[in-house]
Amino acid sequence: MSILSRGSVPLSRYILRSRFARKPPLISLRPLSTLPNLPLFRALQNHDTSSPAVIHSVSQRSFTYGNLVTDIVHAKKRLLESTGGREDDIVGERIAFLADNSYDYVVTLLSILASNAIALPLSPAFPIGELKYVMDNSHAKALVATEKYAGKARDLLKAGLDREPVFDIREKITVGASHSTPVTLEDTKAASLGGMMLYTSGTTNRPKGVLIPQSALTAQASSLLQAWKYTPQDRLLHILPLHHIHGIVNAILTPVLAGSSIEFMYPFNPDTVWKRLAAPFLSSSTASKVTFLTAVPTVYNRLMTAFPRLEPELREAARTGISPENLRLNISGSAALPTPTKKAWQDISNGNVLLERFGMTEVGMAISCGLDFSDRVDGSVGWPLPSVEARLVDTETNEVIKPGEELDANGRERAGEIQLRGPTIFQEYWANEKATREAFVDSDDGKGKWFLTGDVATRRKVGSAGQGTSGDWAQGLMYFIQGRRSVDIIKIGGEKVSALEVERELLSLPQVVEAAVVGLPSEQWGQKVAAVVVLDQDKAATAGRNGKSWGPMDMRRALKDRLATYKMPQEMKVLDGAIPRNAMGKVNKKTLVKEVFGI
Ligand code: AMP
């Protein structure tokens, strides 16, 4: 095996065993079939053991909650053995892992949490150089990989890591543990040292490790459970990457807390997703219906682009599959949801309304629209979720915008930075005291520091929304995201323009398929607005004046009545294909400006 010839690292440091060949632990201080007495594991133990926890969509291989508990115990035991056998040695240590979107990922993640260690999911899509940075920065004690990524993991080791990790390749779990292991829940102080670490996609600086303690993960999942009411009857179709908060907390930890079923289907392919959503409504199928979908706006856009091309019978079944009575919840987030996307989804789904929410790695989900359709307001991300405290701090005056003070002296809406606190907020940027210090501000009420999100919003009361129909938390003023303070708030003379607002207007034009609005330097005004767009080739070909192709002048004419002159893009660059986005559908605007405008 190639591992045996692996360069300069002593072989004795590596563990390479099948999952079934379990060695007795070297030293064991406590009985091994224990899980920490934490809400997540308490819930796991109480779920119906025969209820499906994880399903692999393509093979329809299914693992029950009974399997899951036992496999977590086994994986925890194995982790302990491989790292030396003493539970205390692993507490609070970073355990990096490379796993495909599967049962194995869920077992690995939960077994690390069950060991009171810090789970560090690595993205298999990242190049070795970036993974090395993450391993070195986090000083990871172990690197666990599923067979699929064994090669990648070996390449990573060959890159020469600062701290030589224990290396463990896990065989794919094809059958859930057959017998259930009696498990006891154990109170332990060590639980406060476990958690998860995710790396933020750095724009100017190197990525930062966001340390989310186990208590914050629990608070995030409990908050979502309360707001979105996951149930054991829910089947969530999981189509997201697993190195990001959205795919992990919203689509694994919370369903596990609730006892819902998670069906993995990755990588995302619109045709396969449509087939799956349609399956229960095609005559010969016995597939369970999908009740819960959470994704990013680009995923919904890609689904809708593929929809008209489906065979008529499949299309109608898919439409039934995403109708409100079947798909009880369809959520969008991680980037702004364009109103035309929301509207188009509603049109093809017999009236299902996408629920938008706002969140980030450092805080999980923070603000969300409500379950009641009247609480899913266009352009708004809703209300602070249960247990999340939010405030807006005026970006001009640095004053807290108190409820009732949303308008300035000229009757204009005041934009403020969203600041957050509460049990869901992360603990620190790993080994980066300066960044941690700068990310929080003291409060004057003694109730703890506020986290500075760097996102700007306005707040207003919206007609019939916020009556409490979706829960006590969903009441009062609603939040409207204006964008990142650093790139989306464009300053023109004394005026501020929200890039997201201009993008929304651009996307409402039939010729525009994609839009990213950026600020460019302007000698006269400080900054000017520029738009990068992708056009619908057919609709744009002759839509300009005198049957010419649609261009910047046509764009300005179309937006004249919708945008104030200073908000109007002064430049428009048309891209062929697509605007570059990361796996979560986000545009890195700093890179985009460099690439498109050479600045
Ligand atoms: P990440 O930590 O990678 O999840 O990125 C978090 C950032 O995504 C936030 O700070 C926002 O800028 C952005 N974001 C998340 N959800 C939304 C949303 N619904 N609308 C607009 N921006 C969002």
Side-chain angles (χ1 to χ4, degrees), residues 43 47 51-53 65 225 230-234 254-261:
H47 294 329
S51 181
Y65 271 100
L225 178 54
Y230 297 67
T231 73
Q233 285 71 46
D234 271 324
T254 317
V256 164
L257 186 66
S260 314
S261 307

Side-chain angles (χ1 to χ4, degrees), residues 447-459:
K447 291 187 189 157
K449 290 176 188 254
W450 293 91
F451 169 61
L452 314 176
T453 63
D455 286 297
V456 173
T458 54
R459 211 170 42 193

Side-chain angles (χ1 to χ4, degrees), residues 308-330:
R309 294 197 300 260
L310 302 177
E311 293 293 325
E313 194 196 353
L314 180 64
R315 193 166 57 224
E316 282 320 300
R319 190 194 298 285
T320 308
I322 61 168
S323 298
E325 65 275 20
N326 295 316
L327 184 64
R328 82 161 181 93
L329 197 45
N330 34 202

Side-chain angles (χ1 to χ4, degrees), residues 201 244-245 333-336 356-362 381 453 455 481 484 500 586:
S201 37
H244 191 273
I245 196 94
S334 296
E356 185 166 12
R357 93 299 177 285
F358 161 87
M360 61 195 300
T361 312
E362 287 87 341
V381 290
T453 63
D455 286 297
I481 307 287
R484 297 286 304 157
L500 267 55
K586 283 188 221 287

